[in-house]
Amino acid sequence: MSSVSPIQIPSRLPLLLTHEGVLLPGSTMRTSVDSARNLQLVRSRLLKGTSLQSTILGVIPNTPDPASDAQDLPPLHRIGTAALAVQVVGSNWPKPHYTLLITGLCRFQIVQVLKEKPYPIAEVEQLDRLEEFPNTCKMREELGELSEQFYKYAVQLVEMLDMSVPAVAKLRRLLDSLPREALPDILTSIIRTSNKEKLQILDAVSLEERFKMTIPLLVRQIEGLKLLQKTRKPKQDDDKRVIAIRPIRRITHISGTLEDEDEDEDNDDIVMLEKKIRTSSMPEQAHKVCVKEIKRLKKMPQSMPEYALTRNYLELMVELPWNKSTTDRLDIRAARILLDNDHYAMEKLKKRVLEYLAVRQLKNNLKGPILCFVGPPGVGKTSVGRSVAKTLGREFHRIALGGVCDQSDIRGHRRTYVGSMPGRIINGLKTVGVNNPVFLLDEVDKLGKSLQGDPAAALLEVLDPEQNHNFTDHYLNVAFDLSQVLFIATANTTATIPAALLDRMEIIQVPGYTQEEKIEIAHRHLIPKQLEQHGLTPQQIQIPQVTTLDIITRYTREAGVRSLDRKLGAICRAVAVKVAEGQHKEAKLDRSDVTEREGCREHILEDEKPESISDTTDLALPPEMPILIDFHALKDILGPPMYEMEVGGIKDKVLAAHRAGLKQVIIPRRNEKDLEGIPGNVRQDLSFVTASCLDEVLNAAFDGGFTVKTRPGLLNSKL
């Protein structure tokens, strides 16, 4: 042995009771303190003590601390570890607790418990001598063959790991620099071992016994790693350290329920996250920030709220598509065909997309344009944006801006706030996974403003081609290049868009459709879509163009085609009921019934021509296919035409006219039945004129009639 005088621990030590985790001499771990006696120990001894001796504790494993002071101490484990408290971190979330960073010094044995409250203090006997053991030839001779065998297995295990990892390289150097007596405790705390095995090593006071118990653990780890190398793919070999070794730093909850396996998995995730940061293609500035944050994360106890925030931040950084993009399809002819197939009319808009493709062919690094489609609801602004992405072969992401009144929705929250998260732009990039998607900023004219800022002002940086190459989200706090993103905004009007924001966008007007365009859109897109959604086929239902024109003129009055689409859906639902009922009846009828009633069907069809599909309910057989939708069927399904419908409140209106002294009242013809509810004396004083079109109203309203005749080919306005 060396002549260096040993370091002695105090003969009396305060005891820190731990239930999960075993601290071995020479190792370091973090432990959470949240029980009554342990909390009192930290507050009275560590936080108020001023000497080095006040930072030395006796850590007793496999002994839970009672929840309250009133409860007696449980039986204490005989052997403990004297530890030096290196760091104390307090927190009140989710409940008051402290996190201690402690380093094991030596073993001790409890001689007598001197005091139990407010925290236990015991008289102890030191079992290990804290000396500097030089790695000399004399020591090698004393340790003999057992020490050499242990050293050989330790070196073999470490060299099977990835030496490019700093922690592994440092461990390899420690094998040569540390005294052999300290290696069993240190390696046992690093490799995968259970708490029971660690407890056995702690109880092994004899150095020879300690070597004999540790060697099988090393052999088991080596065999497991060999098997792993045979089964894993070659590209994953650099991750073998994750299975074989854990960081020396560990977190143990005294009164929690977290198991060692969960801790190991979490530590392994941190190692994998560090590898992703090293191999990512993020810019240099972002890489520096991530390296700095991962270093902070390693030193941070998992119980701290900031731990989860930092980890979420780093995971977002490695998932963002810094340099990942899709290849544009620049075939103009194919793009023209695709746009024509998806959308009818909209020539100005299609022309602008084809212009972008043409210029993109000639210039590879073209910045994405900022387009704004302005038009009434239902004309297809959003669906055109999706078609543009399909034409270019890009990912598509829609961001709904209607009602947004917080600038953090655009720029994100600063990470100093609880529950902070990135803005919608960065979240959208994470979702699509590429840096050149098509972003649709829907309803940009409906942005709000509040005490949380003006989101329209935040969009100024996003939608400016001269600035968005260096867009900085508050959450990321590093620049992200948005210049390759194709932004398409939609709006119903430009009146509510701020002038500065409007100046940054290229306005493309999307006007409403004519009747002829609506008919084409209905038969090219809407009717096939509704048939597919309702499980119908063209062999089961037919909607002629004249019927479509009736729906457009009599049941809808809009610039777009949303109401037309809903009316077609109502027709398909009614036909689906008839088809389903017909199939049910057909299943019940046998062949003899069908032949007997065939003549009956022909007789009925000759005598009574049905005016609508509702007449088929009187037949026992299923309806004839295809079901033809005509004007009579429209009345049965959709009701009376919207612009020939009766009005309400006829009685109130007539009584008001009577009180005002009027003598003549013009009402819709369909409201003639409402005159019965008007008192007889009022009816006698008034003259009623019923009208079904605007010409009849004008003829009745003007003395001598209205001389302008309706020209042929024009539709009369219906009441």
Side-chain angles (χ1 to χ4, degrees):
M1 292 291 179
S2 172
S3 60
V4 178
S5 60
I7 302 175
Q8 297 292 332
I9 63 172
S11 60
R12 294 185 177 187
L13 286 179
L15 302 183
L16 181 72
L17 308 184
T18 63
H19 179 56
E20 296 184 0
V22 179
L23 178 67
L24 294 173
S27 66
T28 300
M29 78 172 186
R30 293 186 187 273
T31 181
S32 182
V33 174
D34 56 7
S35 58
R37 286 184 173 87
N38 286 339
L39 284 174
Q40 191 63 37
L41 167 62
V42 173
R43 291 165 181 164
S44 303
R45 179 89 176 189
L46 298 182
L47 299 183
K48 294 183 179 180
T50 57
S51 63
L52 177 62
Q53 184 174 347
S54 65
T55 63
I56 299 178
L57 309 172
V59 180
I60 304 299
N62 200 30
T63 306
D65 184 27
S68 66
D69 294 338
Q71 298 177 359
D72 295 333
L73 277 179
L76 303 180
H77 192 74
R78 184 177 59 90
I79 304 296
T81 304
L84 183 68
V86 179
Q87 185 184 59
V88 180
V89 178
S91 176
N92 288 324
W93 185 90
K95 62 180 181 179
H97 70 280
Y98 293 95
T99 301
L100 305 184
L101 177 62
I102 51 180
T103 299
L105 300 177
C106 66
R107 290 171 174 79
F108 67 84
Q109 179 178 344
I110 297 178
V111 177
Q112 180 184 3
V113 177
L114 304 176
K115 183 180 178 183
E116 292 190 6
K117 295 181 180 180
Y119 54 86
I121 298 178
E123 181 181 351
V124 299
E125 177 185 357
Q126 183 174 340
L127 299 178
D128 294 339
R129 298 183 64 193
L130 295 178
E131 302 181 44
E132 292 291 335
F133 292 98
N135 197 1
T136 62
C137 294
K138 181 180 179 181
M139 185 197 67
R140 288 178 181 271
E141 293 174 359
E142 292 178 355
L143 292 176
E145 183 180 350
L146 197 59
S147 173
E148 290 298 328
Q149 186 182 10
F150 176 87
Y151 178 77
K152 180 187 68 174
Y153 284 126
V155 172
Q156 181 182 355
L157 174 62
V158 174
E159 290 183 347
M160 292 178 70
L161 307 178
D162 186 3
M163 297 301 293
S164 64
V165 178
V168 178
K170 182 178 179 181
L171 179 58
R172 179 63 185 88
R173 293 192 298 269
L174 287 176
L175 292 179
D176 294 328
S177 61
L178 288 176
R180 298 283 175 86
E181 292 85 349
L183 292 181
D185 289 333
I186 294 177
L187 286 177
T188 302
S189 65
I190 295 176
I191 63 176
R192 288 189 182 276
T193 51
S194 65
N195 282 343
K196 182 178 180 181
E197 292 169 334
K198 289 187 177 71
L199 205 59
Q200 292 173 351
I201 299 298
L202 179 66
D203 292 342
V205 179
S206 169
L207 183 58
E208 180 181 359
E209 182 183 1
R210 209 177 306 158
F211 274 121
K212 289 181 179 180
M213 296 178 63
T214 311
I215 288 176
L217 301 179
L218 294 179
V219 174
R220 183 184 67 186
Q221 195 71 67
I222 292 172
E223 295 301 323
L225 189 55
K226 287 180 180 179
L227 180 62
L228 180 68
Q229 290 175 338
K230 292 180 182 179
T231 57
R232 300 186 75 180
K233 295 181 180 179
K235 66 178 181 179
Q236 296 173 320
D237 284 346
D238 56 343
D239 299 333
K240 60 193 177 186
R241 65 188 183 279
V242 175
I243 305 298
I245 190 171
R246 297 173 299 170
I248 297 177
R249 175 178 71 90
R250 296 181 65 253
I251 296 177
T252 303
H253 292 271
I254 295 174
S255 298
T257 59
L258 188 64
E259 298 180 354
D260 288 345
E261 289 77 7
D262 297 333
E263 298 174 2
D264 297 343
E265 291 177 3
D266 190 76
N267 289 330
D268 296 345
D269 290 343
I270 299 301
V271 175
M272 297 300 297
L273 185 60
E274 184 178 14
K275 179 197 169 188
K276 290 179 181 179
I277 292 174
R278 291 201 313 270
T279 58
S280 66
S281 57
M282 63 180 67
E284 182 180 358
Q285 181 62 30
H287 188 269
K288 288 181 179 179
V289 172
C290 287
V291 170
K292 180 181 177 182
E293 291 295 326
I294 195 69
K295 289 180 179 178
R296 289 181 62 244
L297 186 65
K298 288 180 177 179
K299 300 176 183 178
M300 199 180 300
Q302 295 181 16
S303 57
M304 291 183 62
E306 193 177 354
Y307 180 90
L309 297 178
T310 304
R311 180 170 174 172
N312 292 339
Y313 172 77
L314 291 173
E315 289 176 348
L316 173 65
M317 291 289 283
V318 298
E319 290 176 5
L320 284 178
W322 298 94
N323 290 313
K324 184 181 178 181
S325 59
T326 55
T327 303
D328 287 347
R329 288 200 296 259
L330 302 178
D331 188 344
I332 297 181
R333 181 173 300 177
R336 189 192 304 274
I337 295 174
L338 184 61
L339 288 173
D340 288 340
N341 289 339
D342 287 351
H343 295 277
Y344 185 77
M346 296 187 176
E347 299 303 328
K348 183 186 294 186
L349 190 148
K350 295 178 186 176
K351 177 183 175 184
R352 181 62 184 89
V353 175
L354 295 176
E355 289 174 352
Y356 171 76
L357 286 176
V359 178
R360 183 71 175 77
Q361 277 188 353
L362 304 177
K363 186 176 176 61
N364 289 332
N365 59 347
L366 178 66
K367 294 181 179 179
I370 314 295
L371 307 178
C372 182
F373 300 159
V374 180
V379 296
K381 301 183 293 295
T382 302
S383 60
V384 167
R386 188 175 285 105
S387 293
V388 169
K390 181 180 176 183
T391 302
L392 296 173
R394 293 190 179 189
E395 298 292 334
F396 176 80
H397 185 73
R398 174 179 172 269
I399 300 176
L401 297 179
V404 172
C405 57
D406 187 352
Q407 67 162 350
S408 297
D409 278 356
I410 308 299
R411 283 205 184 103
H413 304 82
R414 300 191 185 277
R415 285 193 292 133
T416 53
Y417 298 111
V418 177
S420 59
M421 54 184 160
R424 298 194 181 189
I425 303 297
I426 296 299
N427 259 334
L429 290 169
K430 175 189 172 183
T431 301
V432 298
V434 293
N435 64 359
N436 64 337
V438 174
F439 269 10
L440 184 77
L441 306 179
D442 216 359
E443 309 293 356
V444 74
D445 58 327
K446 298 174 181 61
L447 286 169
K449 185 187 295 187
S450 68
L451 296 176
Q452 284 73 34
D454 185 1
L459 279 176
L460 296 178
E461 180 184 5
V462 176
L463 300 182
D464 192 342
E466 301 301 323
Q467 300 181 38
N468 63 11
H469 67 280
N470 202 27
F471 171 70
T472 301
D473 186 277
H474 287 163
Y475 184 82
L476 294 185
N477 205 27
V478 292
F480 195 97
D481 186 5
L482 299 179
S483 60
Q484 298 304 313
V485 179
L486 174 56
F487 287 101
I488 298 178
T490 67
N492 298 131
T493 177
T494 59
T496 56
I497 302 177
L501 182 60
L502 193 65
D503 181 62
R504 283 164 165 77
M505 300 186 293
E506 179 182 344
I507 305 299
I508 298 179
Q509 294 290 340
V510 184
Y513 299 114
T514 63
Q515 289 185 2
E516 291 76 13
E517 290 173 343
K518 289 183 180 181
I519 293 174
E520 288 294 329
I521 292 171
H523 286 269
R524 290 190 183 190
H525 303 290
L526 302 183
I527 294 178
K529 181 189 75 172
Q530 291 293 344
L531 293 182
E532 181 181 0
Q533 289 181 354
H534 293 86
L536 299 173
T537 64
Q539 288 73 33
Q540 295 171 321
I541 178 175
Q542 286 187 1
I543 304 178
Q545 290 195 358
V546 63
T547 303
T548 307
L549 180 61
D550 283 338
I551 299 174
I552 294 171
T553 56
R554 296 173 182 266
Y555 291 93
T556 65
R557 191 65 59 89
E558 59 176 348
V561 291
R562 282 181 183 162
S563 293
L564 175 60
D565 191 33
R566 285 193 290 268
K567 300 299 181 184
L568 293 172
I571 293 172
C572 289
R573 288 192 297 273
V575 172
V577 172
K578 297 302 175 184
V579 172
E581 288 179 348
Q583 291 176 349
H584 180 67
K585 293 175 183 177
E586 206 169 34
K588 288 186 175 181
L589 295 174
D590 55 25
R591 294 183 179 272
S592 61
D593 293 334
V594 174
T595 54
E596 289 177 3
R597 297 187 182 183
E598 191 65 31
C600 180
R601 175 195 290 276
E602 294 177 0
H603 178 71
I604 294 175
L605 293 177
E606 289 175 1
D607 293 346
E608 279 188 47
K609 184 177 180 180
E611 294 184 354
S612 69
I613 65 171
S614 63
D615 294 332
T616 59
T617 58
D618 298 331
L619 302 178
L621 293 176
E624 292 287 350
M625 299 296 174
I627 297 177
L628 180 66
I629 305 299
D630 56 9
F631 177 70
H632 301 286
L634 287 183
K635 285 189 174 181
D636 292 331
I637 298 173
L638 302 180
M642 184 181 297
Y643 301 104
E644 292 182 5
M645 295 176 66
E646 58 192 51
V647 298
I650 289 294
K651 180 178 179 181
D652 297 333
K653 293 179 175 68
V654 170
L655 293 177
H658 182 262
R659 286 195 301 270
L662 299 180
K663 297 300 182 183
Q664 188 180 57
V665 178
I666 305 172
I667 63 173
R669 182 163 297 165
R670 298 181 68 90
N671 286 103
E672 189 172 2
K673 63 182 186 299
D674 295 328
L675 297 179
E676 298 176 0
I678 299 174
N681 61 324
V682 175
R683 280 199 308 241
Q684 292 176 359
D685 295 341
L686 295 176
S687 171
F688 293 95
V689 178
T690 59
S692 60
C693 63
L694 185 60
D695 288 345
E696 295 178 3
V697 174
L698 296 176
N699 284 328
F702 291 94
D703 293 336
F706 195 69
T707 57
V708 177
K709 299 295 183 182
T710 303
R711 289 177 292 175
L714 294 181
L715 292 173
N716 288 338
S717 177
K718 301 295 183 181
L719 296 178

